[in-house]
Amino acid sequence: MTDKAPDRRLLIDGRLSGTAATFASVNPATGAVLGHAPDAGPAEAEAAIAAARNAFDTTSWATDRDLRARCLDQLHGVLVDHKEELRALTITEVGAPHQLTTGAQLEEPIGVVRWYADLLPTYEFSRDLGVHEARGARHHRWVEKEAAGVVAAIIPYNYPNQIALAKLAPALAAGCTVVLKGAPDTPLVTLALGELIAEHTDIPPGVVNVLSSSGAAAGELMTTHKDVDVVTFTGSTATGRRIMAAASGTVKRVFLELGGKSPMVVLDDADLQAVSMMAAFMSCSHAGQGCAICTRLLVPRARHDEIVEMVAGGLAHIPVGDPTDPAVYMGPLISERQRVKVDAMVQRAVADGAKLVCGGERMPGPGFFYKPTLLAGVDPDSEIAQEEVFGPVLSVIPYDDEAEAIRIANNSAYGLSGAVFSASDERAVGVARRIRSGTFSINGGSYFAPDSPFGGYKQSGVGREYGLEGLAEFLETKTFGAVAK
């Protein structure tokens, strides 16, 4: 396993540069320092915002659709050309198993850039409303969509390629300029994206700026600065609340993709063996570090013990270990801090009455590994059933009838995702429609693709990424009226 990566540079106004202060990025599978990133502060954030503002206000980026399409096409090609370099860095810095990089950790996000590049030439930025009579005259009216302005994009550590490109590609397609800040735990992979943009595309200086920082000062400035028009943030709900409050001072547009506590509802006619295996593997995807992962397994009370036994059997077969090994399914948590948090929540759950079926402890050796964990007989109102864990922990909650299952599924501050299983697709869809969630899987169906909007209800966020809705987040609507000739 490689424990070294090149130190990276910030991208500000088309120039790659370092800072006097740097901070370490750690390989979570070994605990060793992987490389160092520039520690940007308010001065660098100010410079990046100024560059983005200038590029938006004084260049043709916002109005030249052909230039934007060409640059997005270039960006897609560059990402494809450097895919293996990005894969190696994603595995070692994020702790993402090689398997995941062929999907949501890398290759699928590259496809998102392709989708918006292909959409842009045919997207209708204007709509004719025809002529109407008013004040004794005829008036022609039409609507135009135009870029919202300067975007501050702040991303988390768990899927840095996917989340960065889910923000960057539609923002650029819309004609916005962007200041992108990587997560403190995974700065190098985001900075690598900035270097590829600077060195291999014709994206003009200032249109994309990429920062890394170990503290909160740069991000706080991005969310409050008068020259930022849109804030898009993915991360915890607690931080999202603070960003929404901070942005209100300048009445910014805010898009938030926040936490989740998604339910997987198993109806009494479902294939229990198949569902149990799927629940086991889903809960361990990227060591449970995913906002849309189903972490509450709702099961018929009469089948609770049977299902628990099946899920435990599935968890026992999860390949856990070195994420560079193509056979490994689950890698480490991102940090020792996160591992301590996960373990503390599990221990509190057991103290509160949940039954620890398997796992519930750190794995020996280097790195920040935690055993796949199953908790049974969980109280739906308990902390473990209500709060996001962000670890490989699955809580099994029994219910008595379908109405109670729906009530428990909706008993959450979150509403990001969910799943339902039944022998009848019609019955499953009926249940899914009664659960307040932005995305839903029916009998194992996948909704996740560049053309399908992703986002949540309630405290899981505001707005949508991906699809036409993802582009709309970065567009303003302007209505025109002219006296008809």
Side-chain angles (χ1 to χ4, degrees):
M1 182 181 292
T2 301
D3 268 340
K4 293 296 179 185
D7 292 345
R8 299 288 178 175
R9 294 166 290 173
L10 308 176
L11 172 59
I12 300 175
D13 203 14
R15 293 183 294 274
L16 296 169
S17 63
T19 56
T22 63
F23 64 101
S25 176
V26 171
N27 182 334
T30 66
V33 172
L34 178 64
H36 292 82
D39 201 356
E44 288 78 16
E46 187 79 53
I49 293 167
R53 184 81 263 166
N54 182 68
F56 185 82
D57 291 342
T58 67
T59 76
S60 64
W61 178 258
T63 56
D64 191 338
R65 186 199 304 220
D66 291 341
L67 172 61
R68 301 200 305 272
R70 177 164 59 85
C71 288
L72 280 170
D73 185 68
Q74 287 177 341
L75 176 57
H76 174 260
V78 167
L79 293 173
V80 170
D81 291 345
H82 292 265
K83 181 172 60 179
E84 295 311 316
E85 171 193 338
L86 292 170
R87 189 190 315 280
L89 184 54
T90 301
I91 291 169
T92 52
E93 185 176 48
V94 184
H98 184 280
Q99 290 184 24
L100 282 183
T101 65
T102 64
Q105 282 286 3
L106 180 61
E107 294 188 20
E108 288 178 4
I110 291 174
V112 173
V113 180
R114 178 76 270 149
W115 192 82
Y116 282 105
D118 292 341
L119 171 69
L120 189 52
T122 60
Y123 184 80
E124 294 185 357
F125 283 90
S126 63
R127 183 173 86 255
D128 194 280
L129 298 179
V131 174
H132 82 140
E133 300 281 345
R135 300 186 301 277
R138 299 173 70 249
H139 303 268
H140 177 221
R141 301 146 310 129
W142 71 97
V143 175
E144 293 184 3
K145 299 284 189 179
E146 59 185 35
V150 174
V151 174
I154 302 172
I155 66 171
Y157 67 79
N158 57 333
Y159 286 84
N161 295 307
Q162 185 264 318
I163 298 170
L165 294 174
K167 298 180 188 303
L168 195 59
L172 296 180
C176 294
T177 57
V178 182
V179 180
L180 171 67
K181 191 179 88 65
D185 287 307
T186 55
L188 302 182
V189 69
T190 306
L191 294 172
L193 174 62
E195 292 183 5
L196 292 176
I197 288 170
E199 295 173 344
H200 300 284
T201 77
D202 294 329
I203 294 175
V207 168
V208 177
N209 306 272
V210 182
L211 304 177
S212 58
S213 65
S214 63
E220 289 175 357
L221 183 64
M222 289 168 63
T223 63
T224 58
H225 201 287
K226 64 180 178 59
D227 285 337
V228 170
D229 301 293
V230 180
V231 176
T232 173
F233 167 80
T234 298
S236 73
T237 295
T239 303
R241 292 190 199 106
R242 292 197 295 271
I243 287 174
M244 182 175 272
S248 69
T250 46
V251 197
K252 296 187 193 308
R253 210 160 160 185
V254 177
F255 163 55
L256 304 172
E257 200 275 281
L258 306 176
K261 196 67 185 178
S262 301
M264 180 182 288
V265 180
V266 183
L267 299 181
D268 55 16
D269 60 350
D271 179 343
L272 300 186
Q273 186 65 54
V275 171
S276 297
M277 188 61 68
M278 185 172 294
F281 274 78
M282 179 184 283
S283 67
C284 294
S285 178
H286 194 26
Q289 298 170 113
C291 52
I293 291 173
C294 290
T295 56
R296 294 184 293 155
L297 183 62
L298 280 53
V299 305
R301 192 177 300 276
R303 311 296 295 274
H304 173 274
D305 293 350
E306 179 185 0
I307 294 171
V308 166
E309 184 177 352
M310 287 188 229
V311 174
L315 289 174
H317 290 92
I318 300 285
V320 182
D322 180 356
T324 65
D325 183 347
V328 163
Y329 180 79
M330 186 185 118
L333 293 169
I334 192 65
S335 64
E336 180 61 18
R337 179 184 67 255
Q338 182 63 18
R339 185 164 67 164
V340 168
K341 178 207 166 194
V342 170
D343 187 59
M345 291 188 73
V346 170
Q347 303 315 317
R348 288 196 299 271
V350 174
D352 288 343
K355 178 184 177 182
L356 179 62
V357 179
C358 60
E361 61 181 348
R362 301 168 175 84
M363 295 179 67
F368 312 125
F369 293 89
Y370 196 80
K371 289 185 177 181
T373 299
L374 182 63
L375 297 167
V378 171
D379 181 344
D381 294 319
S382 64
E383 178 195 45
I384 202 72
Q386 292 291 321
E387 298 299 326
E388 193 170 44
V389 180
F390 242 54
V393 180
L394 182 62
S395 298
V396 184
I397 303 172
Y399 67 84
D400 290 315
D401 56 31
E402 189 174 292
E404 185 183 21
I406 293 167
R407 186 164 59 252
I408 292 172
N410 283 326
N411 177 31
S412 173
Y414 301 108
L416 184 57
S417 190
V420 59
F421 289 85
S422 168
S424 164
D425 282 351
E426 184 179 2
R427 184 184 178 196
V429 170
V431 168
R433 285 178 172 148
R434 296 173 64 190
I435 296 172
R436 291 179 53 74
S437 176
T439 56
F440 229 88
S441 170
I442 307 298
N443 285 323
S446 175
Y447 53 78
F448 203 70
D451 60 348
S452 56
F454 176 80
Y457 289 17
K458 301 188 281 186
Q459 293 187 37
S460 283
V462 178
R464 294 293 182 270
E465 284 182 336
Y466 283 24
L468 297 176
E469 290 80 359
L471 180 61
E473 296 293 341
F474 300 104
L475 293 170
E476 289 283 11
T477 300
K478 180 179 287 185
T479 305
F480 293 84
V483 176
K485 302 298 185 185

